[in-house]
Amino acid sequence: MKKIIIHSIPVFISMIWLMLEHNTCHPIFLKGPDFLRYYLILLTGIYLSIPILKFFKESVSKTTFYFLISIFILGLIKLIRGLYLGKPVGYLIMILIIEITVITIVKSFQFNKKFN
């Protein structure tokens, strides 16, 4: 339960920012730079929640992996939408590549922990 609460805090913070700045609840309909700001706030919060889990002596579990995958899927949806509309998506592609790397690293730590 503690893991879900810790991972939910960045989601709520990014949604509050979204509602205060843009008066919407739908990040997919934001323009490119605004979506990137939202996405980076969300990713930064999730990435910071991993050391917070370590501080509370919690392990990086499937919950962390599911949060990372759901954020990645949000980025993929925005990427497909941007490609469909003919918008520049270079920064989003770079962020998604970094996110794939982080997801792989988190998954490898989870995999290594099972064998130790």
Side-chain angles (χ1 to χ4, degrees):
M1 185 68 180
K2 190 186 300 185
K3 295 174 191 177
I4 293 174
I5 292 171
I6 289 174
H7 288 310
S8 296
I9 292 171
V11 174
F12 288 127
I13 290 172
S14 62
M15 290 304 288
I16 289 170
W17 177 85
L18 187 63
M19 294 192 61
L20 290 176
E21 286 289 318
H22 299 286
N23 299 322
T24 184
C25 294
H26 303 288
I28 294 174
F29 298 119
L30 290 175
K31 293 191 180 217
D34 295 329
F35 177 78
L36 287 177
R37 259 184 247 121
Y38 166 79
Y39 201 66
L40 288 175
I41 289 170
L42 185 60
L43 279 178
T44 303
I46 292 294
Y47 292 159
L48 288 176
S49 68
I50 295 172
I52 292 172
L53 281 175
K54 295 288 186 182
F55 178 75
F56 288 120
K57 295 181 174 54
E58 294 283 337
S59 64
V60 177
S61 66
K62 289 182 180 181
T63 306
T64 305
F65 182 69
Y66 293 143
F67 270 91
L68 290 172
I69 290 296
S70 63
I71 293 170
F72 181 74
I73 290 171
L74 174 67
L76 278 179
I77 291 170
K78 187 64 178 179
L79 176 69
I80 292 168
R81 180 175 160 79
L83 289 172
Y84 179 74
L85 295 174
K87 303 291 182 177
V89 292
Y91 288 121
L92 183 58
I93 289 173
M94 290 182 346
I95 292 170
L96 290 174
I97 290 171
I98 292 169
E99 195 173 351
I100 288 172
T101 306
V102 170
I103 289 172
T104 306
I105 290 169
V106 168
K107 194 64 177 167
S108 71
F109 281 134
Q110 185 182 11
F111 186 71
N112 287 339
K113 194 153 194 143
K114 285 183 181 177
F115 285 110
N116 287 339

